[in-house]
Amino acid sequence: MPIATLQRTLKAPRDYCWAWLADFGALDRLHPPGNLTEFHCEGSHIGARRFARFKPEMGVAGQIVERLDVAIAPTVIVYSIVENYPLPMLDYVAVVQFAEVIPGSTLITWEGHYTEGALPAAQMDPLLRDFYGLFMDNIEKAYALGRKPGESPY
């Protein structure tokens, strides 16, 4: 089973980073405006699902349904894709770990575990890391702009 991993230290406190990603419905505000054509979320409790559709240019044909599986504050979040697989992979489970390295900075390790589908891991891994990087960049950007968790950096 391939694992796409991105590890990065963000210039933002762990509680701030945690608040962004533990709010399961905040993901749409980390995407650039226009990336998502549809987004809604059932909440931030274990078992909650979020539903997203991307603009056609992003190459995702169909709705992605993700479920929040584990949230242990402020150290780990686990979520998975359920019901639909519009991406060229299967059995996706993401593990996001948060560690304070120094006060005011957070080491985030984001792993995407999956079974290869239409794209081999050599092509799928960079795509997943790009998404993880986008989210991390925008959390850090929101913090630098003085935004509260959940307030878009755009």
Side-chain angles (χ1 to χ4, degrees), residues 11-148:
K11 294 176 187 169
R14 180 170 66 172
D15 288 345
Y16 183 86
C17 297
W18 169 265
W20 258 108
L21 296 175
D23 178 354
F24 207 51
L27 187 69
D28 68 324
R29 294 181 294 282
L30 289 174
H31 276 280
N35 262 15
L36 298 173
T37 61
E38 174 191 328
F39 184 87
H40 68 280
C41 186
E42 298 172 339
S44 294
H45 57 278
I46 301 302
R49 294 176 304 159
R50 63 183 172 204
F51 306 81
R53 288 186 193 275
F54 291 86
K55 64 183 178 183
E57 306 87 89
M58 296 192 70
V60 180
Q63 183 180 61
I64 294 177
V65 181
E66 295 175 319
R67 180 186 61 220
L68 181 59
D69 299 319
V70 175
I72 302 171
T75 58
V76 69
I77 293 171
V78 178
Y79 65 92
S80 56
I81 294 178
V82 295
E83 298 178 31
N84 296 323
Y85 268 92
L87 300 173
M89 64 176 172
L90 299 168
D91 309 320
Y92 180 79
V93 177
V95 179
V96 186
Q97 298 176 64
F98 305 78
E100 183 178 72
V101 283
I102 58 171
S105 293
T106 306
L107 175 66
I108 295 182
T109 304
W110 202 315
E111 298 177 345
H113 303 249
Y114 64 95
T115 301
E116 284 182 304
L119 278 182
Q123 292 176 302
M124 193 71 231
D125 285 3
L127 295 174
L128 291 171
R129 284 193 297 267
D130 285 349
F131 270 106
Y132 306 156
L134 171 74
F135 303 143
M136 289 185 207
D137 289 347
N138 285 332
I139 289 170
E140 194 170 46
K141 181 178 177 183
Y143 182 75
L145 291 170
R147 306 279 167 79
K148 295 177 185 174

